[in-house]
Amino acid sequence: MTHEIGFTKMHGIGNDYIYVDSTLYNIGNPEKAAISWSDRHKGIGSDGLVLIGKAGTPEADFTMRIFNADGSEAMMCGNASRCIGKYLFEKGLTEKTSIRLLTAAGIKVLDLAVNDGVVESVTVDMGEPVLDNEMQFANTEAHGKEATLKIGEKNICGTFVSMGNPHFVIFTDDLTTACIEHYGPQLEHDKMFPERANIEFAKIQDDGSIRMRVWERGSGITMACGTGACATAVAACLTRRTGRTATISMDGGELRICWNKEDNHVYMTGGAEFVFEGHIHF
């Protein structure tokens, strides 16, 4: 028996997901739904599926579960968290402009910039970057430093940063799609990443901003990645390419990232947009 599920499609600088209020609709197999609905030819089309729920703990207000387009579950998504802030406020599910969101990577605080009832931007406290997670990066000698991985005959230098999700940030002048499609999947599945990894390809611009493109674990090339932007800013600072604040320009738009020295937290600021709503049978 199939059921009609109401959904909202949103994007954060081009990183698009399907959002479902799980208090209204029970999706028993979200992995299967993510694969089917994310198909851009036969489904709704997206980078994955996000389930929004009420938190069962007083420490948080709402919950988020996120499934990539291949059905794998991710721990966190910065762009999706900003979309959730806009969704919750503009749909009247909360009047709070500071929302505590429980994710698989812990509680993230969303601070909403509201003008005349419209959420114009969201700043997310993404927490502290982690540089020494052996469950996600097996090279114990490279924590906090650049590491070299060998892919075929090529040595690729990058920096591991975990923002809940594992990231490997490569600074390079080659941001072509051909380069990303060639090296992205090989690096994602490299033995150094027991849980696979998101791969960022980044270049420092003349104005000090960072141009970044991403191969997302479980989704391939996407237009943006919030946790990836945070990881890139941290990696740029660690390798003394930039200071603690950076503008990250991606295919879908820009995010402002600040790695705060006082609390060691990374703060991400950017917009979120509704695309369309509908119903689908599942």
Side-chain angles (χ1 to χ4, degrees):
M1 177 182 293
T2 62
H3 300 276
E4 190 174 75
I5 307 294
F7 70 87
T8 300
K9 182 169 175 176
M10 302 183 71
H11 79 86
I13 58 170
N15 198 190
D16 60 337
Y17 288 94
I18 300 158
Y19 295 80
V20 174
D21 183 345
S22 62
T23 66
L24 299 178
Y25 303 99
N26 178 34
I27 300 178
N29 191 338
E31 297 87 353
K32 180 180 177 182
I35 295 170
S36 175
W37 298 351
S38 296
D39 190 304
R40 295 190 183 274
H41 299 286
K42 300 178 181 179
I44 300 166
S46 72
D47 291 328
L49 169 66
V50 177
L51 304 181
I52 305 170
K54 288 288 289 184
T57 173
E59 289 78 24
D61 302 306
F62 295 90
T63 64
M64 172 181 82
R65 291 185 71 190
I66 179 166
F67 297 85
N68 295 315
D70 68 351
S72 60
E73 185 167 5
M75 295 183 70
M76 173 57 185
C77 175
N79 290 321
S81 65
R82 294 199 319 280
C83 288
I84 287 175
K86 185 177 181 73
Y87 181 103
L88 292 170
F89 187 86
E90 293 192 14
K91 285 186 172 292
L93 299 177
T94 184
E95 295 181 351
K96 292 183 176 182
T97 56
S98 183
I99 301 169
R100 300 164 301 168
L101 182 66
L102 180 61
T103 75
I107 295 174
K108 308 299 179 184
V109 178
L110 319 177
D111 287 319
L112 314 183
V114 180
N115 182 16
D116 198 23
V118 176
V119 177
E120 294 186 336
S121 69
V122 180
T123 296
V124 185
D125 180 351
M126 300 290 286
E128 297 187 62
V130 176
L131 311 176
D132 58 354
N133 188 336
E134 294 181 16
M135 296 292 292
Q136 295 181 335
F137 188 45
N139 189 338
T140 58
E141 298 179 357
H143 293 159
K145 301 180 295 184
E146 289 186 301
T148 300
L149 302 183
K150 190 174 181 62
I151 302 296
E153 297 300 317
K154 187 175 179 65
N155 292 323
I156 297 179
C157 185
T159 304
F160 171 82
V161 180
S162 176
M163 295 301 307
N165 291 341
H167 295 269
F168 193 65
V169 182
I170 302 157
F171 290 95
T172 175
D173 289 332
D174 190 353
L175 302 181
T176 62
T177 297
C179 173
I180 297 169
E181 287 181 337
H182 180 72
Y183 291 109
Q186 295 182 73
L187 287 162
E188 175 191 348
H189 293 274
D190 190 87
K191 63 182 180 181
M192 285 293 104
F193 307 113
E195 298 179 356
R196 298 186 291 158
N198 302 276
I199 311 300
E200 281 73 37
F201 299 81
K203 180 180 180 180
I204 307 296
Q205 305 287 76
D206 291 340
D207 62 1
S209 67
I210 303 174
R211 176 73 172 103
M212 185 268 277
R213 299 190 70 195
V214 59
W215 177 273
E216 282 203 58
R217 176 181 62 170
S219 294
I221 294 177
T222 58
M223 295 189 71
C225 177
T227 55
C230 294
T232 298
V234 170
C237 182
L238 284 172
T239 57
R240 300 186 178 182
R241 289 178 165 93
T242 66
R244 286 182 167 265
T245 300
T247 297
I248 312 294
S249 173
M250 292 164 280
D251 290 353
E254 292 184 349
L255 291 175
R256 188 71 172 169
I257 310 296
C258 175
W259 185 14
N260 190 293
K261 188 175 182 179
E262 293 183 3
D263 61 8
N264 201 40
H265 285 213
V266 178
Y267 294 86
M268 173 192 64
T269 301
E273 300 292 339
F274 289 101
V275 182
F276 62 84
E277 296 186 319
H279 291 81
I280 190 168
H281 290 275
F282 183 70

Coordinates of all heavy atoms in Angstrom, one line a residue, residues 32-93:
K32 N 15.4 4.2 1.0 CA 14.8 3.9 -0.3 C 14.1 5.1 -0.8 O 14.2 5.4 -2.1 CB 13.7 2.8 -0.1 CG 13.1 2.4 -1.4 CD 12.0 1.3 -1.2 CE 11.3 0.9 -2.5 NZ 10.3 -0.1 -2.2
A33 N 13.5 5.9 0.0 CA 12.8 7.1 -0.5 C 13.8 8.1 -1.0 O 13.6 8.8 -2.0 CB 12.0 7.8 0.7
A34 N 15.0 8.3 -0.3 CA 16.0 9.2 -0.8 C 16.5 8.8 -2.1 O 16.7 9.7 -3.0 CB 17.2 9.2 0.2
I35 N 16.7 7.6 -2.4 CA 17.2 7.1 -3.7 C 16.2 7.4 -4.8 O 16.5 7.9 -5.8 CB 17.6 5.6 -3.7 CG1 18.8 5.4 -2.7 CG2 17.9 5.1 -5.1 CD1 19.0 3.9 -2.4
S36 N 14.9 7.0 -4.5 CA 13.9 7.2 -5.5 C 13.5 8.6 -5.8 O 13.5 9.1 -6.9 CB 12.6 6.4 -5.0 OG 11.5 6.6 -5.9
W37 N 13.3 9.4 -4.7 CA 12.9 10.8 -4.9 C 14.0 11.7 -5.4 O 13.7 12.7 -6.1 CB 12.4 11.3 -3.6 CG 11.2 10.6 -3.1 CD1 10.4 9.7 -3.7 CD2 10.6 10.7 -1.8 NE1 9.4 9.2 -2.9 CE2 9.5 9.9 -1.7 CE3 10.9 11.5 -0.7 CZ2 8.7 9.7 -0.6 CZ3 10.1 11.4 0.5 CH2 9.0 10.5 0.5
S38 N 15.3 11.4 -5.1 CA 16.4 12.2 -5.5 C 16.7 12.1 -7.0 O 17.4 13.0 -7.6 CB 17.6 11.9 -4.7 OG 17.5 12.2 -3.4
D39 N 16.2 11.1 -7.7 CA 16.4 10.9 -9.1 C 15.9 12.1 -9.9 O 14.7 12.4 -9.8 CB 15.7 9.6 -9.6 CG 16.1 9.2 -11.0 OD1 16.0 10.0 -11.9 OD2 16.6 8.0 -11.2
R40 N 16.8 12.7 -10.6 CA 16.5 14.0 -11.3 C 15.7 13.7 -12.6 O 15.3 14.7 -13.3 CB 17.7 14.8 -11.6 CG 18.4 15.3 -10.3 CD 19.5 16.3 -10.4 NE 20.1 16.6 -9.2 CZ 19.6 17.6 -8.3 NH1 18.5 18.2 -8.6 NH2 20.2 17.8 -7.2
H41 N 15.6 12.5 -13.0 CA 14.8 12.2 -14.3 C 13.5 11.5 -13.9 O 12.5 11.7 -14.6 CB 15.6 11.3 -15.2 CG 16.9 11.9 -15.6 ND1 16.9 12.9 -16.6 CD2 18.2 11.7 -15.3 CE1 18.2 13.3 -16.8 NE2 19.0 12.5 -16.0
K42 N 13.5 10.6 -12.9 CA 12.3 9.8 -12.6 C 11.7 10.2 -11.2 O 10.6 9.6 -10.9 CB 12.6 8.4 -12.6 CG 13.1 7.9 -14.0 CD 13.5 6.4 -13.9 CE 14.0 5.9 -15.2 NZ 14.4 4.5 -15.2
G43 N 12.3 11.1 -10.5 CA 11.8 11.5 -9.2 C 11.6 13.0 -9.0 O 11.4 13.7 -10.0
I44 N 11.7 13.5 -7.8 CA 11.5 14.9 -7.6 C 12.8 15.6 -8.1 O 12.7 16.7 -8.6 CB 11.3 15.2 -6.1 CG1 10.0 14.5 -5.7 CG2 11.2 16.7 -5.8 CD1 9.8 14.4 -4.2
G45 N 13.9 15.0 -7.8 CA 15.2 15.5 -8.1 C 15.8 16.3 -6.9 O 15.2 17.3 -6.5
S46 N 17.0 15.8 -6.4 CA 17.6 16.5 -5.3 C 18.9 15.9 -4.9 O 19.3 14.9 -5.5 CB 16.7 16.4 -4.0 OG 16.7 15.1 -3.5
D47 N 19.6 16.5 -4.0 CA 20.8 15.9 -3.4 C 20.6 15.0 -2.3 O 21.5 14.3 -1.8 CB 21.8 17.0 -2.9 CG 22.3 17.9 -4.1 OD1 22.5 17.3 -5.2 OD2 22.6 19.1 -3.9
G48 N 19.3 14.8 -1.9 CA 18.9 13.9 -0.9 C 17.6 14.3 -0.2 O 16.9 15.1 -0.6
L49 N 17.4 13.6 0.9 CA 16.1 13.7 1.7 C 16.4 14.1 3.1 O 17.4 13.6 3.8 CB 15.4 12.4 1.7 CG 14.2 12.2 2.7 CD1 13.1 13.1 2.2 CD2 13.8 10.7 2.7
V50 N 15.7 15.1 3.7 CA 15.8 15.6 5.0 C 14.5 15.4 5.8 O 13.4 15.8 5.3 CB 16.2 17.1 5.1 CG1 16.3 17.6 6.5 CG2 17.6 17.3 4.4
L51 N 14.6 14.7 6.9 CA 13.4 14.5 7.8 C 13.5 15.5 9.0 O 14.5 15.5 9.7 CB 13.3 13.1 8.3 CG 13.3 12.0 7.2 CD1 13.2 10.6 7.8 CD2 12.2 12.2 6.2
I52 N 12.4 16.3 9.2 CA 12.4 17.2 10.3 C 11.4 16.7 11.4 O 10.3 16.2 11.1 CB 11.9 18.6 9.8 CG1 12.8 19.1 8.7 CG2 11.9 19.6 11.0 CD1 12.2 20.3 8.0
G53 N 11.9 16.6 12.6 CA 11.1 16.1 13.7 C 11.2 17.0 14.9 O 12.0 17.9 15.0
K54 N 10.3 16.7 15.9 CA 10.3 17.3 17.2 C 11.3 16.6 18.1 O 11.4 15.3 18.1 CB 9.0 17.3 17.9 CG 7.9 18.2 17.2 CD 8.2 19.7 17.5 CE 8.0 20.0 19.0 NZ 8.2 21.5 19.2
A55 N 12.1 17.3 18.8 CA 13.1 16.7 19.7 C 12.5 16.1 20.9 O 11.6 16.7 21.5 CB 14.2 17.8 20.1
G56 N 13.0 15.0 21.3 CA 12.5 14.3 22.5 C 13.3 14.6 23.8 O 13.2 13.9 24.7
T57 N 14.1 15.7 23.7 CA 15.0 16.1 24.8 C 14.8 17.6 25.0 O 14.7 18.3 24.1 CB 16.4 15.7 24.5 OG1 17.3 16.2 25.5 CG2 16.8 16.3 23.1
P58 N 14.9 18.0 26.3 CA 14.8 19.5 26.6 C 15.9 20.3 26.1 O 15.8 21.5 26.0 CB 14.7 19.5 28.1 CG 15.3 18.3 28.6 CD 15.0 17.2 27.5
E59 N 17.0 19.7 25.7 CA 18.2 20.4 25.2 C 18.0 20.9 23.8 O 18.8 21.7 23.4 CB 19.5 19.5 25.3 CG 19.9 19.3 26.7 CD 19.1 18.2 27.5 OE1 18.5 17.4 26.8 OE2 19.1 18.2 28.7
A60 N 17.1 20.3 23.1 CA 16.9 20.7 21.6 C 15.4 21.0 21.4 O 14.5 20.6 22.1 CB 17.4 19.6 20.7
D61 N 15.2 21.7 20.3 CA 13.9 22.1 19.8 C 13.3 21.1 18.7 O 12.2 20.7 18.8 CB 13.8 23.5 19.3 CG 14.3 24.5 20.4 OD1 13.8 24.5 21.5 OD2 15.2 25.3 20.0
F62 N 14.2 20.9 17.8 CA 13.8 20.0 16.6 C 15.0 19.1 16.3 O 16.1 19.3 16.8 CB 13.4 20.9 15.4 CG 12.2 21.7 15.6 CD1 12.3 23.0 16.1 CD2 11.0 21.3 15.3 CE1 11.2 23.8 16.3 CE2 9.8 22.0 15.5 CZ 10.0 23.3 16.0
T63 N 14.7 18.1 15.4 CA 15.7 17.1 15.0 C 15.8 17.1 13.5 O 14.8 17.6 12.8 CB 15.3 15.7 15.4 OG1 14.1 15.3 14.8 CG2 15.2 15.6 16.9
M64 N 16.9 16.7 13.0 CA 17.1 16.6 11.6 C 17.8 15.2 11.3 O 18.8 14.9 11.9 CB 18.1 17.7 11.0 CG 18.5 17.5 9.6 SD 19.6 18.8 9.0 CE 21.2 18.2 9.6
R65 N 17.3 14.5 10.3 CA 18.0 13.3 9.8 C 18.1 13.6 8.3 O 17.2 14.1 7.6 CB 17.2 12.0 10.0 CG 17.1 11.6 11.4 CD 16.5 10.2 11.5 NE 17.3 9.1 11.0 CZ 16.9 7.9 10.7 NH1 15.6 7.5 11.0 NH2 17.7 7.0 10.3
I66 N 19.3 13.3 7.7 CA 19.6 13.6 6.3 C 20.1 12.3 5.6 O 21.0 11.6 6.1 CB 20.5 14.8 6.2 CG1 20.8 15.1 4.7 CG2 21.8 14.6 7.0 CD1 21.5 16.4 4.5
F67 N 19.6 12.1 4.4 CA 20.0 10.9 3.6 C 20.4 11.4 2.3 O 19.7 12.2 1.6 CB 18.8 9.9 3.5 CG 18.3 9.4 4.8 CD1 17.4 10.1 5.6 CD2 18.8 8.2 5.3 CE1 17.0 9.6 6.8 CE2 18.4 7.7 6.5 CZ 17.5 8.4 7.3
N68 N 21.6 11.0 1.9 CA 22.2 11.4 0.6 C 21.4 10.7 -0.5 O 20.6 9.8 -0.3 CB 23.6 10.9 0.5 CG 24.5 11.7 1.5 OD1 24.4 12.9 1.7 ND2 25.4 10.9 2.2
A69 N 21.7 11.2 -1.8 CA 21.0 10.7 -2.9 C 21.2 9.2 -3.2 O 20.4 8.5 -3.8 CB 21.4 11.4 -4.2
D70 N 22.3 8.6 -2.6 CA 22.5 7.1 -2.7 C 21.9 6.4 -1.5 O 22.1 5.2 -1.4 CB 24.0 6.8 -2.8 CG 24.8 7.1 -1.6 OD1 24.2 7.7 -0.6 OD2 25.9 6.7 -1.5
G71 N 21.1 7.0 -0.7 CA 20.5 6.4 0.5 C 21.3 6.3 1.7 O 20.8 6.0 2.8
S72 N 22.6 6.7 1.7 CA 23.4 6.7 2.9 C 23.0 7.8 3.8 O 22.7 8.9 3.3 CB 24.9 6.7 2.5 OG 25.2 7.9 1.8
E73 N 23.1 7.6 5.1 CA 22.8 8.7 6.0 C 24.0 9.5 6.4 O 25.0 8.9 6.8 CB 22.1 8.1 7.3 CG 21.6 9.1 8.3 CD 20.7 8.6 9.3 OE1 20.5 7.4 9.4 OE2 20.1 9.4 10.1
A74 N 23.8 10.8 6.4 CA 24.9 11.7 6.7 C 24.7 12.2 8.2 O 23.6 12.2 8.7 CB 25.0 12.9 5.8
M75 N 25.8 12.7 8.8 CA 25.7 13.1 10.2 C 25.1 14.6 10.2 O 24.5 14.9 11.2 CB 27.0 13.1 10.9 CG 27.5 11.6 11.0 SD 29.1 11.6 11.9 CE 28.6 12.0 13.6
M76 N 25.5 15.4 9.2 CA 25.2 16.8 9.3 C 25.2 17.4 7.9 O 25.9 16.9 7.0 CB 26.2 17.5 10.2 CG 26.1 19.0 10.3 SD 24.5 19.6 10.8 CE 24.7 21.3 10.7
C77 N 24.5 18.5 7.7 CA 24.6 19.3 6.5 C 24.3 20.7 6.8 O 23.2 21.1 7.3 CB 23.5 18.8 5.5 SG 23.5 19.8 3.9
G78 N 25.3 21.6 6.6 CA 25.1 23.0 6.9 C 24.1 23.7 6.1 O 23.3 24.5 6.6
N79 N 24.0 23.4 4.8 CA 23.0 24.1 3.9 C 21.6 23.6 4.3 O 20.7 24.4 4.3 CB 23.3 23.8 2.5 CG 24.5 24.5 2.0 OD1 24.8 25.6 2.3 ND2 25.3 23.8 1.1
A80 N 21.4 22.3 4.6 CA 20.1 21.8 5.0 C 19.7 22.4 6.3 O 18.5 22.7 6.6 CB 20.2 20.3 5.1
S81 N 20.6 22.6 7.3 CA 20.3 23.2 8.6 C 19.7 24.6 8.4 O 18.8 25.0 9.1 CB 21.4 23.1 9.5 OG 22.5 23.9 9.1
R82 N 20.3 25.4 7.5 CA 19.8 26.7 7.3 C 18.4 26.7 6.7 O 17.5 27.5 7.1 CB 20.8 27.5 6.4 CG 22.1 27.8 7.0 CD 22.8 29.0 6.2 NE 22.7 28.9 4.8 CZ 23.4 28.1 4.0 NH1 24.3 27.3 4.5 NH2 23.2 28.1 2.7
C83 N 18.2 25.8 5.8 CA 16.9 25.6 5.2 C 15.8 25.2 6.2 O 14.7 25.7 6.2 CB 16.9 24.6 4.1 SG 17.7 25.1 2.6
I84 N 16.2 24.4 7.2 CA 15.3 24.0 8.2 C 14.9 25.2 9.1 O 13.8 25.3 9.5 CB 16.0 22.9 9.1 CG1 16.0 21.6 8.3 CG2 15.2 22.7 10.4 CD1 16.7 20.4 9.0
G85 N 15.9 26.1 9.4 CA 15.6 27.3 10.1 C 14.5 28.1 9.5 O 13.5 28.6 10.1
K86 N 14.7 28.3 8.2 CA 13.7 29.1 7.4 C 12.3 28.3 7.4 O 11.3 28.9 7.5 CB 14.2 29.3 6.0 CG 13.3 30.2 5.1 CD 13.9 30.4 3.7 CE 13.1 31.3 2.9 NZ 13.2 32.8 3.3
Y87 N 12.4 27.0 7.1 CA 11.2 26.2 7.1 C 10.4 26.3 8.4 O 9.2 26.6 8.4 CB 11.6 24.7 6.8 CG 10.5 23.7 6.7 CD1 10.1 23.2 5.5 CD2 9.8 23.2 7.8 CE1 9.1 22.3 5.3 CE2 8.8 22.3 7.7 CZ 8.5 21.8 6.5 OH 7.5 20.9 6.4
L88 N 11.0 26.1 9.5 CA 10.3 26.1 10.8 C 9.7 27.4 11.1 O 8.6 27.5 11.6 CB 11.3 25.7 11.9 CG 11.9 24.3 11.8 CD1 13.0 24.1 12.8 CD2 10.7 23.3 12.1
F89 N 10.4 28.5 10.8 CA 9.9 29.8 11.2 C 8.8 30.3 10.2 O 7.7 30.7 10.7 CB 11.1 30.9 11.2 CG 10.7 32.2 11.7 CD1 10.7 32.5 13.1 CD2 10.2 33.2 10.8 CE1 10.3 33.7 13.6 CE2 9.8 34.4 11.3 CZ 9.9 34.7 12.7
E90 N 9.0 30.2 8.9 CA 8.1 30.7 8.0 C 6.8 29.8 7.9 O 5.8 30.3 7.4 CB 8.7 30.9 6.6 CG 9.8 32.0 6.7 CD 10.3 32.4 5.3 OE1 9.6 32.1 4.3 OE2 11.3 33.1 5.2
K91 N 6.9 28.6 8.3 CA 5.7 27.7 8.3 C 5.0 27.8 9.7 O 4.0 27.1 9.9 CB 6.1 26.3 8.0 CG 6.3 26.1 6.5 CD 6.5 24.6 6.1 CE 6.6 24.5 4.6 NZ 5.3 24.7 3.9
G92 N 5.5 28.6 10.6 CA 4.8 28.9 11.8 C 5.0 27.7 12.8 O 4.2 27.6 13.8
L93 N 6.0 26.9 12.6 CA 6.2 25.8 13.6 C 7.0 26.2 14.8 O 7.1 25.5 15.8 CB 7.0 24.7 12.9 CG 6.2 24.0 11.7 CD1 7.1 23.0 11.0 CD2 4.9 23.4 12.1

